């Protein structure tokens, strides 16, 4: 009689294809001890990622080393507890940050990037700067899309980028943010693109490139998709449900250089 804790071979092979919890086997009426310990460890890592400190100063320094103009901002969430209990506060700039950005917005730009901690500062620390490094040459390669402003935002939800983009006069805002940690990926980065950002934009008006992490989408792949969406979004003057990601089989159209009135 076979050991019930050892999955049969056809099922066991699935584990080489996915980090998901499949083919765990069983021990009596429960899962094997090693599977339970793995789950407990991954759950602890996910919780730690949610509460990890956000090193905004380090990010600013690393991004400025790439030759970018970088500012800091924060949402109305006073601390992490506030951020988790009041998602609405993470979608609004605090008064000082709004005034600082307004003073620094000397002229409109085509593209602004917002980097926010979101629900996993670990994801931002691991991937944000590397992703920007991959984006810069791709954006400049064909149509010369330059990153006008970069803002590192603490206590940020996705929609915070809409207010920041509106203040900076950006045609499009690209928000890099830590995604909700999963049991197989506590450091997954998400990227949200919104054309003509302003407060009140909905998720239907954004495109998302998600699951950027070691076992997911690579920096190269993510940068290619984001670049395609930026170029095509500026050309069509739309993002979200009006812009389907066809980066795998279509070249981006050329875009004009004029800013809207």
């Amino acid at each position: 009689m076979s050991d019930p804790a050892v999955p049969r071979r056809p099922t066991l092979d699935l584990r080489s294809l996915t980090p998901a919890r499949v083919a765990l086997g069983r021990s009596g009426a429960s899962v094997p001890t090693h599977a339970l310990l793995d789950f407990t460890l991954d759950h602890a890592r996910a919780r730690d990622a949610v509460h990890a400190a956000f090193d905004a100063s380090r990010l600013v320094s690393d991004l400025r080393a790439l030759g970018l103009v970088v500012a800091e901002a924060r949402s109305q969430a006073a601390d992490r507890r506030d951020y988790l209990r009041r998602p609405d506060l993470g979608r609004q700039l605090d008064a000082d940050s709004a005034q600082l950005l307004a003073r620094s917005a000397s002229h409109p730009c085509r593209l602004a990037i917002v980097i926010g901690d979101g629900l996993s500062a670990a994801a931002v620390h691991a991937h944000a700067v590397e992703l920007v490094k991959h984006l810069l040459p791709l954006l400049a390669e064909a149509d010369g899309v330059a990153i006008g402003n970069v803002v590192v935002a603490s206590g940020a939800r996705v929609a915070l980028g809409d207010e920041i983009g509106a203040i900076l006069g950006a045609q499009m805002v690209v928000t890099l943010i830590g995604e909700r940690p999963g049991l197989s990926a506590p450091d997954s980065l998400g990227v949200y693109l919104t054309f003509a950002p302003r407060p009140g934009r909905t998720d239907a008006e954004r495109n998302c490139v998600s699951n950027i992490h070691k076992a997911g989408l690579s920096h190269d792949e993510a940068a290619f998709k984001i670049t395609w969406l930026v170029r095509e979004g500026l050309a069509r003057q739309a993002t979200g449900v009006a812009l389907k990601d066809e980066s795998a089989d279509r070249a981006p159209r050329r875009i004009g250089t004029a800013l809207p009135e």
Side-chain angles (χ1 to χ4, degrees):
M1 188 174 186
S2 61
D3 184 351
V6 179
R8 295 181 179 179
R9 175 57 56 184
T11 307
L12 185 62
D13 289 342
L14 293 176
R15 300 180 68 180
S16 65
L17 304 175
T18 174
R21 283 178 162 74
V22 298
L24 297 179
R26 61 185 177 87
S27 180
S30 187
V31 296
T33 300
H34 69 83
L36 177 60
L37 292 175
D38 287 345
F39 172 85
T40 303
L41 176 60
D42 287 342
H43 186 258
R45 285 172 173 160
R47 289 176 61 90
D48 286 348
V50 170
H51 295 282
F54 184 45
D55 192 347
S57 297
R58 190 189 85 188
L59 279 174
V60 169
S61 176
D62 290 345
L63 291 164
R64 284 176 177 165
L66 299 178
L68 297 169
V69 177
V70 188
E72 279 192 69
R74 66 170 304 108
S75 73
Q76 292 183 16
D79 51 36
R80 201 61 178 170
R81 179 183 174 88
D82 229 11
Y83 174 82
L84 295 173
R85 295 179 61 151
R86 292 283 306 276
D88 57 310
L89 297 180
R91 302 184 184 109
Q92 304 170 67
L93 282 170
D94 73 359
D96 289 343
S97 294
Q99 291 175 10
L100 175 65
L101 292 178
R103 288 196 298 268
S104 66
S106 55
H107 53 80
C109 61
R110 299 170 85 188
L111 181 66
I113 288 185
V114 175
I115 301 176
D117 48 358
L119 286 165
S120 175
V124 181
H125 295 155
H127 306 295
V129 174
E130 282 303 312
L131 181 56
V132 171
K133 284 181 183 178
H134 284 75
L135 273 173
L136 287 171
L138 290 180
L139 288 171
E141 198 170 77
D143 299 307
V145 179
I147 298 173
N149 298 87
V150 179
V151 177
V152 176
S154 302
R157 299 278 177 174
V158 172
L160 190 68
D162 297 338
E163 185 178 357
I164 292 173
I167 291 173
L168 295 175
Q171 279 187 286
M172 181 180 289
V173 66
V174 175
T175 301
L176 285 61
I177 197 164
E179 295 182 310
R180 180 178 286 105
L183 293 176
S184 59
D187 63 344
S188 181
L189 187 75
V191 178
Y192 295 81
L193 301 91
T194 310
F195 181 78
R198 63 175 184 271
R201 286 294 195 194
T202 67
D203 288 341
E205 297 171 294
R206 318 183 199 285
N207 288 89
C208 177
V209 178
S210 62
N211 292 309
I212 302 167
H213 57 89
K214 184 177 180 181
L217 204 62
S218 71
H219 299 142
D220 281 335
E221 293 170 313
F224 179 81
K225 284 180 173 290
I226 294 163
T227 301
W228 191 94
L229 289 166
V230 167
R231 291 170 175 164
E232 193 70 12
L234 289 171
R236 296 190 193 187
Q237 299 191 359
T239 48
V241 296
L243 179 61
K244 181 180 178 181
D245 181 4
E246 297 173 329
S247 58
D249 52 24
R250 290 183 60 183
R253 70 184 70 186
R254 295 194 63 79
I255 57 179
T257 57
L259 288 167
E261 295 295 331

